[in-house]
């Protein structure tokens, strides 16, 4: 019988298709083993795949070049699954859930966060967090009473899967599985972002039996029940007492609770 002249081509095509469906972590492990001195057969056995597929990864196809924000996106880089600065990411996520929005309809997605002039240092803190998390460039657009801090980047949608059409309080806001451990470990930074966007700290004045009392108090207001729930969970994780005084309004008023929140959020002055 004659040989099939297309056999090798079909094998390579199948290997190429296999390489697209296997998780990138597997490809990275195989390539790392090969680059560390293992043979292709040894690398294939290490990841439990056939020789030809691993040969294709190690010999026949160079790694795709990454440019711009792809180099910094911890969701897309092989072998990296956590942010290089978890505190900055948790803070930026809190800001985004409060006063941020992600525009994906344009050619390049843009993350915009509205920063109130009433928080000294907020604009700089937001700018810094964007750069620490992903941004190469950050722009500031002045509006009455606030500044829109924004950054264009193809990979912003990778980091904020809560984006979607319509207002946040009109759609479910649920943390992805990979976001939960970051927010849990960085609950204080996450709260700082939430309160810097949709919260305030002020001097509450009350009169009891003719005597005036003044004490600091935090308020957090948000129309989304899901975002309010995330705020409550973070406060609970840090042991900070809170109560709901309205459907969309949370209060932190006990002296020890305010002092604890101060350590994470810092007063508005």
């Amino acid at each position: 019988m004659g040989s099939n002249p297309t056999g090798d081509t079909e094998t390579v095509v199948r290997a190429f298709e296999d390489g697209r469906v296997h998780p990138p972590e597997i490809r990275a492990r195989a390539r790392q083993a090969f680059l560390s001195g293992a043979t292709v057969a040894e690398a294939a056995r290490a990841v439990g795949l056939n020789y030809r597929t691993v040969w294709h990864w190690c010999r026949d196809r160079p790694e795709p070049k990454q440019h711009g924000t792809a180099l910094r996106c911890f969701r897309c880089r092989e072998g990296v699954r956590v942010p290089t600065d978890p505190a900055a990411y948790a803070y930026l996520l809190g800001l985004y859930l409060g006063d941020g929005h992600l525009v994906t309809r344009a050619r390049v997605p843009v993350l915009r966060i509205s920063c109130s002039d009433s928080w000294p240092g907020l604009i700089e803190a937001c700018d810094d967090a964007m750069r620490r998390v992903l941004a190469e460039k950050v722009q500031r657009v002045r509006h009455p009473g606030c500044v829109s801090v924004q950054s264009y980047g193809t990979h912003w949608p990778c980091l904020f899967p809560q984006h979607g059409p319509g207002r946040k309080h009109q759609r479910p806001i649920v943390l992805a599985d990979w976001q939960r451990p970051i927010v849990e470990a960085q609950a204080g930074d996450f709260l700082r972002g939430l309160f810097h966007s949709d919260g305030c700290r002020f001097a509450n004045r009350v009169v009891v039996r003719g005597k005036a009392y003044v004490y600091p108090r935090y308020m957090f207001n948000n129309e989304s029940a899901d975002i309010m729930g995330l705020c409550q969970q973070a406060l609970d994780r840090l042991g900070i007492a809170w109560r709901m005084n309205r459907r969309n309004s949370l209060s932190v008023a006990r002296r020890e609770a305010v002092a604890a929140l101060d350590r994470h959020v810092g007063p508005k002055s």
Side-chain angles (χ1 to χ4, degrees):
M1 294 179 65
S3 61
N4 179 2
T6 65
D8 289 343
T9 300
E10 291 173 352
T11 300
V12 172
V13 169
R14 286 198 299 272
F16 176 77
E17 292 174 345
D18 285 345
R20 289 190 299 176
V21 299
H22 288 298
E25 303 96 294
I26 300 297
R27 184 170 69 248
R29 281 175 50 200
R31 283 183 56 82
Q32 184 60 45
F34 175 74
L35 294 174
S36 298
T39 65
V40 174
E42 290 169 339
R45 285 196 294 271
V47 296
L49 294 176
N50 66 72
Y51 177 92
R52 190 65 184 179
T53 295
V54 176
W55 178 91
H56 176 63
W57 294 344
C58 296
R59 298 278 195 181
D60 193 43
R61 194 175 76 196
E63 285 293 286
K65 294 183 179 179
Q66 292 182 310
H67 302 281
T69 57
L71 293 171
R72 306 191 66 193
C73 179
F74 66 89
R75 294 294 300 161
C76 295
R77 289 180 58 191
E78 290 186 355
V80 179
R81 283 297 176 265
V82 294
T84 55
D85 193 329
Y89 176 77
Y91 174 62
L92 191 60
L93 176 61
L95 290 178
Y96 163 74
L97 291 178
D99 280 333
H101 66 284
L102 183 57
V103 180
T104 59
R105 295 186 301 275
R107 183 175 62 86
V108 179
V110 55
L111 174 66
R112 293 192 178 103
I113 295 177
S114 179
C115 297
S116 171
D117 291 339
S118 60
W119 277 103
L122 171 56
I123 298 168
E124 289 74 17
C126 178
D127 185 306
D128 181 65
M130 284 187 177
R131 294 178 190 273
R132 289 178 181 273
V133 172
L134 185 74
E136 293 181 318
K137 296 180 180 179
V138 177
Q139 299 85 35
R140 303 180 185 184
V141 181
R142 166 65 62 180
H143 302 285
C146 69
V147 171
S148 178
V149 181
Q150 64 182 38
S151 171
Y152 289 84
T154 303
H155 287 260
W156 281 122
C158 304
L159 305 185
F160 296 101
Q162 287 72 34
H163 74 88
R167 298 179 180 274
K168 295 190 190 79
H169 70 275
Q170 295 174 336
R171 65 177 191 269
I173 300 294
V174 181
L175 294 182
D177 290 342
W178 59 266
Q179 289 178 304
R180 292 193 190 99
I182 300 173
V183 170
E184 290 172 359
Q186 308 294 332
D189 296 287
F190 179 63
L191 285 172
R192 181 168 168 253
L194 289 178
F195 277 90
H196 278 187
S197 56
D198 275 347
C200 65
R201 184 188 190 275
F202 61 98
N204 193 46
R205 290 174 168 80
V206 296
V207 177
V208 179
R209 298 175 183 173
K211 186 176 181 179
Y213 295 88
V214 180
Y215 62 93
R217 182 181 184 183
Y218 278 98
M219 298 290 292
F220 177 72
N221 297 278
N222 197 288
E223 292 295 330
S224 168
D226 290 339
I227 295 175
M228 185 63 74
L230 292 173
C231 181
Q232 294 166 353
Q233 292 168 20
L235 289 167
D236 288 342
R237 181 165 293 276
L238 296 176
I240 297 174
W242 55 271
R243 68 180 181 85
M244 299 295 295
N245 56 343
R246 290 196 307 275
R247 172 191 57 79
N248 61 347
S249 179
L250 177 148
S251 169
V252 175
R254 293 183 182 177
R255 179 180 301 176
E256 65 277 10
V258 171
L261 198 52
D262 277 344
R263 290 194 291 269
H264 298 285
V265 176
K268 178 187 286 189
S269 58

